Amino acid sequence: MDRIIITGGKPLKGRIPISGAKNAALTLLPCALLTDEPLTLRNLPRLADVDGFGHLLNQLGVSITVEGSKPDEFGRVMTLRASNIASTVAPYDIVRKMRASILVLGPLVARAGEATVSLPGGCAIGMRPVDLHLKALEALGAELEIAAGYVKAKAPPGGLRGGEIRFPIVSVGATENALMAAVLAKGTTVIENAAREPEITDLAKCLIAMGAKIDGLRTDTLTIEGVDELHGATYAVMPDRIEAGSYACAAMITGGSLELVGARKETMPSIFSGLQDAGAIIEDTASGIRVSADGGIKPLSLATAPFPAFPTDMQAQFMAMLSLANGTSLLTETIFENRYMHVPELNRMGADIEVRGRSAVVRGVEKLHGAPVMATDLRASMSLVLAGLAAEGQTEVNRVYHLDRGYERLEEKLQAVGADIERAGAG
Ligand code: EPZ
């Protein structure tokens, strides 16, 4: 298994190109199932999860061509075509490796009238149930049967029917499945308490480009007029707000200044307000946003919550940054029940963090020390890389396959702005 070796202490300066958003790509790819015409997606990030989703779609009968892009270019152009649906089964061995596979459920039932999808099961950060995905499909008339770890969903005769979906809590994935199912349902669907994450807006804009009728973008109430069929389209994936926020933390934790090329401020309101409160200087540039450290890091109190509040996917990265703050910070994780796996590893690097229930008390220390550490999940891995970039000495991050799921060519991007970082084979 690959490792990443970092010698910390260098302020990072320069420009980092921000790739297409993983969490937008993973909900745009299954849209190809909703039409027999080609869907071309541009600015797709080169990530393990994107490749994995492509493999699943192949198994369902989707043909995929990837337009050659030069090795040093970021972003790929992928054209997907589901002329026919060859299979409506998403098998356990694929779903268990990539939970986002559950996002084929809505499109398959909408297009093919049925789907059999392995229940994804939990992951490192929590139980990750999908009950809200299933309730949404039932509200559109689907009949569900759960057996042997699979959910089998069947549309009623004549196909899914528009309905009222009221989510008791905000769920990004369930909103995405509901939206992709509703666009071909007969009649009107209203989704209340819909997630408002920018990736949902990206999905809605892509579906509208394919001929869907959706109102209420960027709000918590989406109204969908079902149409008989959708057509092909070309759509560019939005830039990754979490990747951009992660590199902004790299600028702060190393005392440097990084331009996040392609980042879109309106998708990152609470990330930038958090960085400013921590003492960052944020400047708009011709091609993105520059984030610069300005002396020390100020302590913060932050709670994660659905967009537009502070995103749970940035909690671990902020924690690494705040471990060097001039004072004590309080972080509260309200979305997932087990998203503090980075804490013991950061403490092994000299941080002083104490988890108390859903909160973590982060007492700022003078410095961090390099150490061999273990990545457990995607964003925890990034927090360890960030700590390594600031630590004195060498840090070795193991199990970097977690990182490869969400950060395109991480070492190259960081080397280009002065980081002493390299990937090595198994130790
Ligand atoms: C998406 O996961 C993202 N993944 C996650 O990013 C992100 O952390 C999360 O949204 C929250 O923003 C992708 O987009 C591929 P949820 P998702 O449904 O859709 C509970 C990363 O690091 N819930 O919004 O699975 C759930 O347990 C990943 O890029 C139910 O109870 O998240 C959680 O407590 C990690 N029942 C809360 O809702 C359900 O049916 C929010 O989960 C669904 C969710």
Side-chain angles (χ1 to χ4, degrees):
M1 263 185 259
D2 282 359
R3 300 166 295 148
I4 281 187
I5 298 169
I6 306 165
T7 303
K10 298 170 186 62
L12 303 185
K13 294 189 190 310
R15 307 174 84 227
I16 292 198
I18 299 304
S19 299
K22 165 181 85 88
N23 290 349
L26 294 178
T27 192
L28 294 174
L29 286 162
C31 291
L33 294 164
L34 289 166
T35 174
D36 59 4
E37 295 186 10
L39 171 64
T40 296
L41 295 176
R42 312 185 63 79
N43 196 35
L44 273 172
R46 274 188 186 74
L47 294 172
D49 275 8
V50 170
D51 295 341
F53 213 109
H55 172 59
L56 170 60
L57 291 173
N58 281 154
Q59 297 216 351
L60 302 178
V62 179
S63 69
I64 297 178
T65 53
V66 181
E67 263 174 53
S69 59
K70 300 184 197 64
D72 61 344
E73 264 179 0
F74 288 104
R76 277 182 296 178
V77 179
M78 207 179 256
T79 296
L80 305 101
R81 183 161 203 175
S83 306
N84 304 294
I85 301 291
S87 162
T88 59
V89 178
Y92 172 67
D93 71 325
I94 292 183
V95 178
R96 72 184 172 84
K97 287 185 280 230
M98 190 184 56
R99 308 180 22 75
S101 314
I102 190 75
L103 294 175
V104 301
L105 181 66
L108 280 176
V109 180
R111 169 83 185 277
E114 63 170 34
T116 304
V117 179
S118 166
L119 291 168
C123 75
I125 62 177
M127 289 291 288
R128 312 293 295 275
V130 291
D131 55 311
L132 300 178
H133 298 240
L134 306 184
K135 286 199 183 80
L137 284 181
E138 281 180 321
L140 302 182
E143 268 176 40
L144 303 179
E145 182 201 330
I146 293 185
Y150 280 77
V151 58
K152 188 174 174 54
K154 231 170 139 52
L160 292 175
R161 297 185 299 265
E164 294 268 320
I165 298 170
R166 197 165 291 110
F167 286 122
I169 59 167
V170 171
S171 164
V172 170
T175 303
E176 290 164 347
N177 249 330
L179 197 45
M180 290 189 281
V183 291
L184 290 178
K186 290 185 176 34
T188 305
T189 297
V190 178
I191 304 176
E192 291 185 4
N193 202 19
R196 296 166 53 194
E197 271 64 9
E199 292 75 20
I200 304 277
T201 306
D202 225 32
L203 169 62
K205 284 161 66 178
C206 179
L207 290 168
I208 289 168
M210 295 169 71
K213 293 190 170 60
I214 305 170
D215 280 322
L217 269 58
R218 294 183 188 79
T219 76
D220 62 1
T221 303
L222 297 171
T223 304
I224 303 103
E225 286 304 324
V227 293
D228 291 340
E229 56 184 22
L230 294 181
H231 51 71
T234 295
Y235 190 78
V237 179
M238 65 174 276
D240 196 314
R241 61 194 173 104
I242 304 301
E243 183 196 24
S246 301
Y247 287 126
C249 290
M252 287 296 286
I253 200 169
T254 61
S257 174
L258 292 174
E259 183 182 10
L260 311 170
V261 178
R264 283 192 203 146
K265 209 171 202 175
E266 72 277 10
T267 67
M268 306 167 65
S270 50
I271 296 172
F272 282 124
S273 56
L275 288 164
Q276 273 168 329
D277 293 346
I281 297 172
I282 314 272
E283 298 160 293
D284 292 331
T285 67
S287 47
I289 300 145
R290 181 178 296 110
V291 178
S292 307
D294 180 27
I297 296 166
K298 295 179 187 144
L300 295 177
S301 277
L302 269 178
T304 65
F307 192 88
F310 186 74
T312 174
D313 291 350
M314 283 298 304
Q315 178 256 108
Q317 301 91 308
F318 262 59
M319 187 183 285
M321 175 182 73
L322 294 168
S323 68
L324 289 174
N326 305 317
T328 299
S329 301
L330 179 70
L331 290 177
T332 301
E333 173 57 59
T334 70
I335 305 287
F336 291 112
E337 64 269 29
N338 188 30
R339 204 166 197 179
Y340 286 135
M341 252 106 45
H342 41 289
V343 169
E345 295 302 283
L346 289 171
N347 284 341
R348 290 182 55 245
M349 296 178 71
D352 180 358
I353 306 166
E354 186 191 345
V355 174
R356 292 183 190 160
R358 299 298 291 249
S359 294
V361 178
V362 185
R363 291 183 192 84
V365 295
E366 281 299 306
K367 63 166 87 95
L368 297 172
H369 312 285
V373 290
M374 184 73 74
T376 50
D377 62 87
L378 170 57
R379 307 306 174 182
S381 319
M382 190 55 176
S383 81
L384 300 177
V385 169
L386 293 171
L389 290 169
E392 265 186 1
Q394 191 173 88
T395 296
E396 183 184 292
V397 183
N398 293 290
R399 294 190 183 172
V400 290
Y401 58 86
H402 290 295
L403 271 173
D404 296 338
R405 304 189 56 171
Y407 291 94
E408 182 178 14
R409 294 157 65 172
L410 171 107
E411 310 91 87
E412 287 171 57
K413 293 189 179 185
L414 286 170
Q415 284 161 0
V417 293
D420 182 343
I421 179 171
E422 59 179 2
R423 184 180 288 250

